[in-house]
Amino acid sequence: MGPDERERLFERAREHSTRQDTWAEADRLWVRVIDAYRQAAQGPGRVNRRDQQQLARSLWRRGMLLSALGRAADGMTPGGEAIAIFERLHDAVAAEGGDVAAPAWDEALAELITALVDLAEVAFAAGQPVTRLELVERAVAVGLLTVASPPSAGPRTREAMGTAYHNQAVALLHRSITRPSSDDSIREAALAASRACELRQGLLDPLRPLSLWEMANTYGVYAQCLALIRDFDRAGMVLGLGNRLVELLGPAGAQPAQALRVAAEMVAREKSASGVAASRRWGWRRS
C-alpha cells in the first residue's frame, strides 16, 4: 500500500470514529490502517518518521475507540504501544535540539502527553484507577522534564499540559473521595487544578468555544477541590468565573454546568459543617 492510500485509509477510519453508528466499521478500518503503517515502518531502508507517527496515532485512536465500545481492557495494549512509539519520536526530535516551543518539538511533546492522558482514562474505564493516576502523573512529569515552566511552552504542549493537570486533579479528587485518609490528596488535586486553570486561561479564545468549555470544566473541578480544603472565598470566585463561561456557552455548557453545580453544593455543605475559611496561593514547581 502506497503513502497516499495509507493516508486516505487513515482519514476514513478517523471519520468513522466520530460517529457512534459507524464505530464498528471504524474498528475494522483501524486494524487495516495499523497493519499498513506497521508494514511501512518496518520496511527495508530508512524508516520514514511520518509512517512511525501515523502508526502511533492509529494505535492511540484505536485504543480510545475500543474504550468507547466498552472494551477498555483491550484498548490498553494498542494505547501502550502508541506511547512507546511517541516516546521514540519525541526523543528523536529532542536529540535534534532547538527550541522546545518550535512546531516540530511542540507537536511531538504534545502528542506524547496527550496519549498518556488518554490511556489513563482508558485505564480508569477498565477499572484500574491506580494505573490511571500513574499514567496522568507520568504525563505531567514528561512535560515538566522538558519544559520547566509550562506557560512558556508551545501552544500544543500548553493545551496538552492543561488537560494533563485537569485530569490529574480529577484522579486525585476521585482518590480523595473514595479513599479518604488525609488532606494530602485533595491539596495535590487543588494544586493540579490551579495549574490547569492557569494554562487554560492563557488559551481562552472566544472564537474557539472548546477553550471556553474546557476552562469552565476545570473551574468546576477546582471549585470542588477548594470546597474540600475549605477555601470558600476562592471557591466562590471560581464558581462565579465558571458560571459566566457556562452562560456564554448556552446549551453546549451542560457538562461543565453540572460540575459547577456539584461544586456549589459541596461549598454549601462544607461551609455549613465547619464555617472555616482558609487561603493559600499555589505556584509552579517541578513534580
Side-chain angles (χ1 to χ4, degrees):
M1 186 181 296
D4 291 343
E5 190 176 356
R6 288 195 294 273
E7 292 283 347
R8 286 194 295 270
L9 191 60
F10 179 96
E11 287 303 317
R12 279 180 58 203
R14 188 187 61 77
E15 176 62 27
H16 278 67
S17 297
T18 63
R19 302 192 308 275
Q20 187 171 356
D21 62 325
T22 55
W23 279 354
E25 176 61 18
D27 186 36
R28 288 189 287 271
L29 286 170
W30 283 126
V31 171
R32 292 177 57 197
V33 174
I34 290 166
D35 183 61
Y37 278 109
R38 199 186 299 281
Q39 289 184 38
Q42 295 175 348
R46 184 181 177 84
V47 176
N48 184 294
R49 186 176 290 177
R50 171 69 178 177
D51 287 335
Q52 290 181 305
Q53 186 181 50
Q54 288 292 85
L55 174 58
R57 288 170 173 171
S58 303
L59 288 160
W60 164 33
R61 288 176 180 275
R62 183 168 189 246
M64 294 291 289
L65 179 65
L66 287 171
S67 181
L69 286 166
R71 298 166 55 194
D74 293 337
M76 293 296 292
T77 298
E81 186 181 352
I83 286 168
I85 299 171
F86 279 131
E87 285 179 325
R88 293 197 296 271
L89 289 166
H90 174 259
D91 290 347
V93 173
E96 294 170 357
D99 185 354
V100 71
W105 200 341
D106 183 35
E107 177 183 65
L109 180 56
E111 289 198 320
L112 173 55
I113 293 169
T114 302
L116 282 162
V117 170
D118 285 347
L119 186 60
E121 295 313 300
V122 173
F124 186 65
Q128 301 175 36
V130 174
T131 301
R132 174 209 209 180
L133 186 55
E134 289 172 350
L135 284 165
V136 80
E137 290 183 338
R138 183 176 159 195
V140 169
V142 164
L144 289 178
L145 285 170
T146 310
V147 185
S149 176
S152 66
R156 293 189 60 173
T157 297
R158 280 184 280 130
E159 188 170 352
M161 285 293 287
T163 302
Y165 277 125
H166 173 94
N167 285 28
Q168 182 185 32
V170 171
L172 287 166
L173 183 62
H174 177 267
R175 185 176 72 178
S176 178
I177 291 171
T178 57
R179 296 192 312 168
S181 56
S182 71
D183 289 339
D184 290 345
S185 285
I186 195 58
R187 291 190 176 277
E188 290 174 19
L191 178 56
S194 173
R195 291 169 169 171
C197 284
E198 182 176 353
L199 287 166
R200 288 185 161 177
Q201 283 165 352
L203 294 165
L204 276 176
D205 180 355
L207 299 178
R208 197 168 66 92
L210 178 59
S211 70
L212 307 183
W213 189 97
E214 289 177 336
M215 187 74 260
N217 203 35
T218 296
Y219 280 143
V221 172
Y222 190 25
Q224 291 177 46
C225 296
L226 292 169
L228 292 177
I229 63 172
R230 296 172 180 175
D231 189 344
F232 302 126
D233 289 342
R234 187 170 304 187
M237 178 189 70
V238 170
L239 284 169
L241 292 170
N243 285 324
R244 281 197 287 275
L245 289 176
V246 164
E247 288 175 9
L248 289 173
L249 287 165
Q255 184 172 323
Q258 174 61 23
L260 289 159
R261 282 194 294 271
V262 168
E265 291 169 2
M266 290 172 70
V267 169
R269 184 171 63 248
E270 294 297 323
K271 226 178 208 181
S272 176
S274 68
V276 175
S279 179
R280 180 171 178 176
R281 291 189 178 276
W282 306 95
W284 293 101
R285 64 174 172 80
R286 288 181 182 270
S287 297

